[in-house]
């Protein structure tokens, strides 16, 4: 069935595309560029060697950065995963919508089928589309209503994806099974799955009551159902033949991504490859275990880099690397202890996951949303470094220009076209960007000045040891001189505060 939003897209025949036409030989037919979007999970600005990390080496990402443009001021819209993913796919700030916070494992579909998405944009333009990896945007019609033993709908197919292979939520949340094209993989019908986020099932062990069954112990939370010797968030029983093995997740989802590329090599394709590295629980493949010297978190960074390298090798082997746009970025900033005793803190050493920036995952400070960003398009993108203020929410309108199409009325309300900046072609980035922390407190920045509005919540998260940036007073930082956000200049610059406060309120009121 064709949704109404498919009919809403229209051509912009006169739209100028100066500077983005591919350089192709007379023998090579001009084809729409393939797009591979690689979304890391909880990898911070300082976690990659191309951004200055010294204690961990990520050569494949570094190669991409050398061939393409590396962004130093790239942002996710939020300091947590679900809202960042929502904004990426819809072109809308997640704080505008109720129910877009960190999703439970049994959340219903947060992006409703009638919403126009980034995948719809490509699908309606003749692309094969796929999502592989972490989803964490809910499945099914409403919370707790999923049929984990049958067709789980609505799902990605209702949002423009031809193919899907998912970690339904996150690795630390049940159900711990893969979902392919909206059905659980390798499910035995004689051992049906049951999921609850309210109470445990009779006779099922938990991390809280049965710590002797654990191979990895929680540091905070994460003490409910036990799968593969690791206790999770939420309760689950059944589905034994379908349970994933944590140390194989990276290999499995990378293999599915490569298989999609292989099958799609003769037509334009869009792949949203959402890795799980370095989200907890961190259980890297034995090939990487112990290799970083920084424990499972550092090893998982190496595993992520391997996944990137496998994509690069596959594109080159198929001869389509020059006709493929690759974007690498992360859903939010880093966190070291996010719920398991995995020695991430003890073995961190001199490594700084957020680089020189303050805060991390969950935070209003720069470490929460300033994430790695790389775009590679050989022969088209000018290699180099860009300091332009850019955001993932803008990909929808930016790619609409690449594809020379318009958007349905009301689609992607917060997305902006910054194609020339993304291609390092002399274009300017955003004038203003609104960002969101775990408490839904908002900040706004303009490339130099950052205003954090007064907000509720603790200033410091004692569990994750993260500065959240929540204060009951206004904060203003000059990021050009004080990138660590240590000096609050609000009292000394009332005019700048008023300008940014007014702009933030204006954006909040816009629909």
């Amino acid at each position: 069935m064709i949704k109404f939003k498919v009919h809403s897209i229209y051509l912009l025949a006169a739209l100028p595309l100066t500077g983005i036409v591919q350089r192709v030989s007379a023998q090579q037919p001009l084809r729409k560029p393939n797009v591979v979007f690689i979304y890391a999970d909880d990898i911070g600005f300082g976690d990659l060697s191309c951004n200055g990390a010294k204690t961990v080496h990520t050569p494949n990402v570094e190669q991409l950065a050398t061939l393409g443009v590396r962004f130093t001021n790239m942002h996710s819209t939020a300091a947590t995963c679900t809202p960042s993913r929502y904004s990426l796919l819809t072109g809308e700030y997640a704080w505008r919508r109720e129910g877009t916070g960190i999703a439970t494992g049994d959340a219903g579909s947060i992006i409703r089928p009638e919403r126009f998405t980034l995948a719809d944009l490509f699908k309606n333009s003749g692309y094969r589309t796929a999502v592989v990896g972490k989803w964490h945007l809910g499945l099914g019609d409403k919370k707790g209503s999923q049929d984990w033993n049958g067709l789980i709908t609505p799902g990605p197919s209702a949002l423009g994806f031809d193919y899907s292979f998912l970690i339904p939520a996150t690795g630390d949340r049940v159900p711990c099974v893969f979902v392919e094209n909206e059905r659980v993989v390798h499910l035995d019908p004689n051992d049906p799955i049951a999921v609850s986020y309210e109470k445990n099932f009779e006779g099922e062990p938990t991390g809280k009551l049965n710590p002797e069954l654990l191979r990895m112990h929680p540091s905070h939370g994460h003490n409910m159902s036990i799968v593969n010797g690791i206790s999770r968030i939420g309760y689950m029983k059944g589905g034994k033949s379908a349970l994933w093995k944590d140390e194989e997740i990276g290999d499995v989802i990378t293999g599915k991504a490569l298989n999609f590329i292989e099958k799609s090599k003769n037509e334009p394709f869009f792949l949203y490859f959402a890795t799980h590295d370095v989200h907890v629980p961190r259980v890297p493949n034995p090939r990487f275990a112990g290799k970083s010297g920084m424990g499972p978190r550092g090893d998982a960074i190496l595993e992520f880099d391997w996944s990137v390298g496998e994509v690069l090798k596959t594109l080159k082997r198929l001869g389509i690397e020059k006709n493929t746009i690759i974007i690498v970025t992360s859903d939010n900033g880093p966190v070291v202890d996010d719920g398991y005793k995995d020695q991430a803190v003890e073995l961190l050493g001199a490594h700084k996951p957020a680089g020189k920036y303050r805060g991390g995952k969950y935070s209003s400070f720069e470490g929460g949303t300033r994430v790695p960003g790389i775009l590679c398009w050989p022969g088209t993108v000018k290699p180099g470094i860009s300091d332009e203020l850019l955001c993932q929410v803008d990909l929808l309108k930016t790619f609409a220009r690449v594809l020379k199409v318009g958007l349905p009325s009301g689609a992607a309300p917060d997305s902006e076209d910054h194609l020339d900046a993304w291609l390092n072609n002399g274009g300017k980035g955003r004038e203003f960007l609104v960002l969101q922390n775990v408490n839904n407190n908002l900040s706004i920045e303009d490339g130099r000045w950052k205003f954090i509005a007064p907000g509720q919540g603790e200033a410091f998260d004692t569990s994750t040891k993260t500065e959240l940036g929540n204060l009951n007073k206004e904060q203003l930082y000059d990021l050009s001189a004080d990138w660590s956000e240590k000096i609050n200049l609000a009292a000394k610059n009332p005019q700048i505060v008023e300008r940014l406060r007014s702009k933030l309120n204006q954006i909040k009121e816009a629909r």
Side-chain angles (χ1 to χ4, degrees):
M1 182 175 66
I2 299 177
K3 296 178 287 185
F4 75 87
K5 63 184 178 183
V6 174
H7 299 293
S8 301
I9 200 162
Y10 57 90
L11 291 175
L12 292 181
L15 195 62
L17 292 171
T18 304
I20 71 165
V21 177
Q22 289 180 271
R23 301 166 189 166
V24 295
S25 68
Q27 291 77 32
Q28 182 184 19
L30 183 64
R31 195 182 90 175
K32 296 174 183 176
N34 309 309
V35 177
V36 177
F37 183 85
I38 303 177
Y39 215 19
D41 197 348
D42 290 359
I43 285 183
F45 185 89
D47 276 328
L48 303 177
S49 55
C50 64
N51 284 341
K54 302 298 184 184
T55 52
V56 62
H57 186 210
T58 49
N60 294 303
V61 177
E62 203 164 304
Q63 178 187 358
L64 268 183
T66 301
L67 296 173
V69 54
R70 178 172 66 86
F71 302 107
T72 66
N73 203 2
M74 170 67 67
H75 289 262
S76 58
T77 61
T80 55
C81 48
T82 298
S84 291
R85 292 161 198 268
Y86 175 91
S87 298
L88 165 72
L89 291 176
T90 66
E92 179 182 55
Y93 287 134
W95 48 261
R96 294 198 189 278
R97 298 279 174 174
E98 292 289 336
T100 56
I102 301 174
T104 59
D106 65 346
S109 184
I110 293 171
I111 304 176
R112 304 308 298 174
E114 63 271 13
R115 288 302 303 271
F116 188 84
T117 69
L118 185 61
D120 283 316
L121 175 74
F122 285 102
K123 183 179 177 69
N124 296 346
S125 299
Y127 280 63
R128 289 196 70 211
T129 58
V131 52
V132 174
K134 175 177 168 178
W135 183 240
H136 210 187
L137 286 165
L139 293 168
D141 190 50
K142 59 183 179 180
K143 179 177 169 62
S145 68
Q146 300 87 356
D147 179 7
W148 296 107
N149 304 291
L151 185 66
I152 309 165
T153 185
S157 66
L159 303 175
F161 290 103
D162 296 315
Y163 173 76
S164 61
F165 188 93
L166 308 177
I167 299 168
T170 60
D172 60 345
R173 286 171 171 79
V174 301
C176 299
V177 295
F178 295 120
V179 176
E180 186 171 32
N181 292 332
E182 292 150 20
R183 291 184 183 273
V184 172
V185 178
H186 300 315
L187 179 65
D188 180 354
N190 296 314
D191 183 26
I193 294 172
V195 172
S196 173
Y197 274 73
E198 301 298 329
K199 62 180 181 179
N200 194 20
F201 299 98
E202 185 175 355
E204 293 294 318
T206 66
K208 182 177 182 179
L209 298 178
N210 306 95
E212 72 279 2
L213 300 179
L214 299 178
R215 60 168 168 154
M216 178 184 290
H217 291 262
S219 57
H220 51 90
H222 301 86
N223 61 1
M224 299 176 187
S225 282
I226 301 173
V227 178
N228 298 331
I230 303 169
S231 50
R232 320 281 169 153
I233 300 172
Y235 303 103
M236 173 185 180
K237 73 170 184 176
K240 301 300 183 185
S241 63
L243 295 175
W244 64 50
K245 295 181 180 178
D246 293 80
E247 57 270 29
E248 295 178 0
I249 288 177
D251 280 9
V252 170
I253 63 174
T254 300
K256 293 294 181 179
L258 302 183
N259 187 55
F260 174 78
I261 292 173
E262 185 89 39
K263 289 183 176 180
S264 306
K265 62 180 180 292
N266 294 322
E267 55 187 309
F269 63 83
F270 166 64
L271 171 62
Y272 169 39
F273 180 27
T275 77
H276 191 256
D277 303 313
V278 298
H279 197 283
V280 296
R282 300 160 183 145
V283 190
N285 189 278
R287 299 193 311 276
F288 305 101
K291 294 299 196 301
S292 71
M294 293 169 54
R297 187 178 186 278
D299 299 341
I301 295 174
L302 300 183
E303 186 169 66
F304 169 75
D305 185 70
W306 169 82
S307 294
V308 173
E310 291 300 294
V311 171
L312 295 179
K313 286 194 295 186
T314 300
L315 294 172
K316 185 174 183 179
R317 175 174 58 82
L318 297 174
I320 56 175
E321 74 275 17
K322 291 186 178 180
N323 195 45
T324 301
I325 301 171
I326 304 177
I327 297 175
V328 173
T329 185
S330 184
D331 62 346
N332 48 246
V335 58
V336 182
D337 179 358
D338 206 20
Y340 292 96
K341 297 177 180 178
D342 61 2
Q343 292 192 294
V345 175
E346 294 84 348
L347 298 176
L348 190 63
H351 183 68
K352 296 182 178 180
K356 64 182 182 180
Y357 300 107
R358 186 178 182 184
K361 184 178 181 180
Y362 309 118
S363 177
S364 284
F365 293 122
E366 284 293 281
T369 63
R370 192 182 290 226
V371 291
I374 296 167
L375 187 150
C376 182
W377 189 4
T380 300
V381 168
K382 178 183 177 182
I385 299 173
S386 170
D387 301 324
E388 294 296 326
L389 177 62
L390 295 174
C391 183
Q392 297 159 11
V393 73
D394 294 326
L395 284 173
L396 218 160
K397 281 192 177 172
T398 297
F399 271 112
R401 185 173 164 206
V402 172
L403 300 175
K404 297 187 283 186
V405 297
L407 301 179
S409 176
D414 296 303
S415 190
E416 298 178 359
D417 170 13
H418 292 292
L419 181 60
D420 288 331
W422 281 86
L423 297 185
N424 199 26
N425 196 31
K428 297 297 182 183
R430 275 186 160 258
E431 186 177 2
F432 297 100
L433 175 61
V434 178
L435 301 165
Q436 168 189 2
N437 81 351
V438 67
N439 302 100
N440 292 328
N441 295 329
L442 301 182
S443 58
I444 185 170
E445 53 187 84
D446 64 3
R448 175 183 176 182
W449 294 99
K450 179 173 181 177
F451 171 74
I452 304 177
Q456 300 298 312
E458 297 295 326
F460 185 79
D461 184 339
T462 56
S463 296
T464 62
K465 305 296 190 293
T466 302
E467 294 181 286
L468 299 178
N470 299 323
L471 291 178
N472 60 2
K473 64 179 181 180
E474 296 176 324
Q475 300 173 71
L476 179 71
Y477 300 101
D478 181 357
L479 298 177
S480 68
D482 178 27
W483 38 258
S484 58
E485 296 170 278
K486 294 294 186 183
I487 305 171
N488 185 359
L489 298 174
K492 295 182 178 180
N493 295 273
Q495 291 181 326
I496 296 174
V497 167
E498 172 59 26
R499 176 174 66 88
L500 293 176
R501 183 201 305 122
S502 297
K503 187 63 182 180
L504 176 59
N505 290 333
Q506 177 188 339
I507 294 171
K508 287 168 61 178
E509 293 167 3
R511 297 302 299 176

